[in-house]
Amino acid sequence: MNVYFSCSITGGRNEEKVYQAMVAAMLAAGHEVPTAHLSTTEVVDLEKIAEPVEIYTRDMRWLEECDVVVAEVSTPSHGVGYEVAVGLKMQKPVLCCYLRGKRISKIITGNTNPTLRVIEYKDEEEAVHAVLQFLDQIA
């Protein structure tokens, strides 16, 4: 399955280890993740040198081509919110995961779109399990 993974870049990288675990698990399960680089520590520097229009065009193409969107939403991010909204508008299944105890926008938690699933997790292991379970259910 082609998975668009979304996570905070400029908003903060507090959950970077969770991002990396989620992406590693998806790749190990045989999924394609064109946005896998977003989980790496180097992404902040890589994104600085790319032109905004280049990032927008590339990411919208990847969203169009994906089967599903997986977003880690613990850290507020304009880009992640935008990608979630676009994925829902395209009628893609979307999973939003967040670390238990974090305050998440009610725009996400109150959304009743049937293609959206929102889960909270307590640790890396639980986050990975939730993502893989979601992808299995979609397949």
Side-chain angles (χ1 to χ4, degrees), residues 43-115:
V43 72
V44 175
D45 292 330
L46 292 173
E47 295 288 306
K48 282 181 187 174
I49 60 173
E51 291 296 321
V53 100
E54 173 189 348
I55 291 173
Y56 175 82
T57 303
R58 175 198 70 191
D59 289 5
M60 291 303 106
R61 179 176 42 84
W62 283 339
L63 267 168
E64 184 66 42
E65 294 170 354
C66 80
D67 301 306
V68 61
V69 176
V70 172
E72 205 296 337
V73 298
S74 298
T75 301
S77 165
H78 298 300
V80 174
Y82 189 88
E83 291 163 343
V84 166
V86 169
L88 291 172
K89 186 75 171 167
M90 292 178 176
Q91 300 180 353
K92 310 273 183 182
V94 176
L95 173 66
C96 289
C97 306
Y98 67 94
L99 184 61
R100 185 170 294 133
K102 293 283 188 168
R103 286 185 40 188
I104 304 305
S105 171
K106 291 180 182 176
I107 283 288
I108 299 232
T109 60
N111 191 321
T112 59
N113 186 313
T115 64

